């Protein structure tokens, strides 16, 4: 069943820029979808609308059956967003950071669950470290732990490997692979075809605000020719 239903979505910013035009698609529970497109294509706008951070000028989005326009609170609980920028409280510990975020969602404390996500992100040994002491890759994993703290059904990763080196990029691919095994639905944005291919079950290509196509990764890569 579709966890996200997007219908005829469009967005025109006040500046006059049309960031999205008539985008429709469904995203199935448990799938990993990559939104692939160049800078300025409309990827961030699309996920910002789904997450309720930007109001569309046309169309509708349902998350778990909840219309984000009418029933934003219920939809929001099902969503975790990992933003592009790393913003962490430098002197706070990893565990407290994630606990605090869970609290913001009004969820009761559940350290057993938080231990489970910190372990799955290889952060449990660092739970008492201040976030400023962490490497860049660990900080990115803390952002993911924060986004998972209220047990969302869908995780959004906005350019998860923007500005990181090759080793970190591979580490992030492995993290996503681990989340896939946990059954989390993931939507990520990227402008690297290689990255979309490495992580996603399906790839949606966006350019100039239009969704040009959405296809299973294997099918799309077949069309681009066999990779050695
Ligand atoms: P991306 O890395 O997704 O291409 P940019 O670096 O272009 O994003 O922009 C960063 C943020 O600045 C965007 O998420 C968007 O909210 C905002 N932004 C981008 N373009 C404009 C613009 N023309 N006017 C105002 N804000 C913008
Ligand atoms: P992407 O994430 O694919 O780089 P964005 O969704 O950030 O694309 O941007 C799509 C278009 O909308 C770009 O032309 C960008 O400059 C513009 N844009 C993005 N955010 C804003 C904003 N807050 N105000 C005005 N224009 C914006």
């Amino acid at each position: 069943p579709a966890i996200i239903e997007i219908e005829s979505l469009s967005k025109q910013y006040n500046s006059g820029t049309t960031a999205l035009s008539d985008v429709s698609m469904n995203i199935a529970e448990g799938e990993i979808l990559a939104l692939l497109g160049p800078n300025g294509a409309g990827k961030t706008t699309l996920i910002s609308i789904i997450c309720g951070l930007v109001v569309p000028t046309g169309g509708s989005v349902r998350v778990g059956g909840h219309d984000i326009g009418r029933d934003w609170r219920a939809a929001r609980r099902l969503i975790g967003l990992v933003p592009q920028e790393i913003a962490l409280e430098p002197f706070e510990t990893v565990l407290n950071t994630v606990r605090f975020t869970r609290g913001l969602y009004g969820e009761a404390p559940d350290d057993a669950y938080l231990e489970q996500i910190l372990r799955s992100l290889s952060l449990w040994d660092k739970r008492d470290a201040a976030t400023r002491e962490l490497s860049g890759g660990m900080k990115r994993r803390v952002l993911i732990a924060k986004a998972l703290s209220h047990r969302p059904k869908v995780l959004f990763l906005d350019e998860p490997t923007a500005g990181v080196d090759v080793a970190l990029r591979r580490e992030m691919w492995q993290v996503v692979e681990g989340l896939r095994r946990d059954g989390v639905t993931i939507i990520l944005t990227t402008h690297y075809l290689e990255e979309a291919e490495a992580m996603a079950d399906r790839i949606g290509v966006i350019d100039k605000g239009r969704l040009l196509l959405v296809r299973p990764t294997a099918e799309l890569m077949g069309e681009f020719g066999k990779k050695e």
Side-chain angles (χ1 to χ4, degrees):
I3 181 94
I4 296 183
E5 299 155 272
I6 300 167
E7 227 180 276
S8 310
L9 207 60
S10 48
K11 174 66 186 179
Q12 186 162 25
Y13 284 106
N14 290 330
S15 60
T17 305
T18 299
L20 288 179
S21 310
D22 197 24
V23 170
S24 299
M25 78 170 120
N26 284 348
I27 297 158
E29 202 159 350
E31 96 168 310
I32 300 186
L33 175 82
L35 295 170
L36 174 70
N39 274 331
K43 307 181 295 295
T44 300
T45 300
L46 179 56
I47 67 175
S48 299
I49 291 172
I50 303 171
C51 293
L53 303 174
V54 167
V55 180
T57 39
S60 65
V61 178
R62 288 153 72 87
V63 180
H66 305 285
D67 186 294
I68 56 157
R70 264 177 247 130
D71 202 1
W72 178 77
R73 278 170 189 283
R76 189 68 187 88
R77 296 184 83 81
L78 302 178
I79 289 172
L81 171 64
V82 182
Q84 274 181 41
E85 326 77 54
I86 295 182
L88 292 169
E89 203 53 56
F91 296 101
E92 198 53 86
T93 67
V94 169
L95 183 55
N96 278 338
T97 296
V98 181
R99 274 184 184 139
F100 179 74
T101 304
R102 183 178 167 88
L104 290 179
Y105 279 87
E107 297 284 336
D110 185 350
D111 277 3
Y113 170 65
L114 297 186
E115 176 174 345
Q116 180 194 318
I117 52 179
L118 289 179
R119 282 190 188 282
S120 79
L121 292 166
S122 307
L123 284 170
W124 182 242
D125 292 345
K126 294 286 178 187
R127 64 189 176 280
D128 295 323
T131 61
R132 71 189 170 98
E133 297 164 27
L134 303 179
S135 69
M138 287 175 187
K139 284 179 183 157
R140 278 173 192 267
R141 280 182 271 139
V142 174
L143 293 180
I144 295 176
K146 272 161 55 80
L148 290 171
S149 68
H150 60 295
R151 230 189 258 264
K153 283 183 177 293
V154 190
L155 185 68
F156 290 84
L157 300 166
D158 195 7
E159 297 272 358
T161 64
V164 310
D165 63 27
V166 175
L168 248 184
R169 185 166 296 158
R170 295 199 179 280
E171 180 191 302
M172 192 54 65
W173 294 357
Q174 280 164 12
V175 167
V176 169
E177 194 52 42
L179 295 173
R180 176 210 295 280
R181 284 193 295 268
D182 295 339
V184 183
T185 304
I186 297 176
I187 295 153
L188 62 98
T189 68
T190 182
H191 45 261
Y192 300 110
L193 174 63
E194 189 197 13
E195 176 156 306
E197 186 195 5
M199 294 198 267
D201 303 316
R202 254 192 333 156
I203 297 176
V205 179
I206 297 193
D207 190 27
K208 299 189 177 76
R210 293 188 179 277
L211 181 64
L212 300 182
L213 53 90
V214 197
R215 296 278 253 296
T217 303
E219 203 179 285
L220 198 61
M221 295 318 294
E223 282 175 29
F224 285 133
K226 290 258 182 293
K227 287 201 20 160
E228 10 269 280

